[in-house]
Amino acid sequence: MSAQVKSASAFLELVTHDDDDLEALRDIDDIDRMSASELRAALREIKAESEATSEVLAKKNAKIDKLEREKKLIARLPPEEAWAAVKKEASAIMADALGAIRGNFRQALVALADERDVGADNAVFMAGLVGQLAAELAALRSEFDLPDVSNAADQALMAEVAQWAPQAAAAN
């Protein structure tokens, strides 16, 4: 790395950093043309990215640890209590997903629809986003062999009609 740096101030900037930071600089093609201030900026960016990655990994590991503890706790519960705990967790996850759809996702669609006022037609893009959600739900339904009860009220009405329809047909 020191052979690539021609400026003494840039070289001095590099020697104050640890090997991990310097390793990340190896991917930069024009390091030999960078000034000391540009190197400092690049190193700050690399360090910020590294810290952000570490933070994400720490949160991810904490979540995994929590899930493992919950899994072990559920394994020790009687079957009825374990089933209730899993059902409660699944309901909470579903509520989060619905909240994201009804809140953030809906607001994103509202923002996209508002752009029509400035000449942008986002209907196809919006339909694509909604279609991706629908496809994921259909894939889950297929994977777990689940009926579509999204229109349960219609299905209940059809069941009622099916009960009295033969009687009505016989009366005619």
Side-chain angles (χ1 to χ4, degrees), residues 68-79 81-82:
E68 285 294 325
R69 284 191 303 272
E70 289 175 0
K71 183 179 172 184
K72 288 179 182 179
L73 174 66
I74 287 173
R76 292 183 195 141
L77 293 174
E81 289 180 36

Side-chain angles (χ1 to χ4, degrees), residues 150-163:
S150 58
N151 55 358
D154 292 341
Q155 290 179 359
L157 179 61
M158 287 186 330
E160 286 180 37
V161 169
Q163 287 177 346

Side-chain angles (χ1 to χ4, degrees), residues 101 105 128-138:
I101 290 169
F105 185 66
L129 295 175
V130 172
Q132 287 178 24
L133 286 174
E136 286 299 319
L137 292 174

Side-chain angles (χ1 to χ4, degrees), residues 72-130:
K72 288 179 182 179
L73 174 66
I74 287 173
R76 292 183 195 141
L77 293 174
E80 300 83 26
E81 289 180 36
W83 180 76
V86 171
K87 196 171 149 184
K88 181 179 177 182
E89 181 66 21
S91 296
I93 292 168
M94 190 261 324
D96 288 345
L98 286 176
I101 290 169
R102 292 175 180 158
N104 296 341
F105 185 66
R106 184 179 182 288
Q107 289 305 312
L109 292 177
V110 167
L112 287 167
D114 287 347
E115 290 301 314
R116 289 183 191 158
D117 297 340
V118 293
D121 184 13
N122 293 315
V124 172
F125 179 73
M126 293 166 60
L129 295 175
V130 172

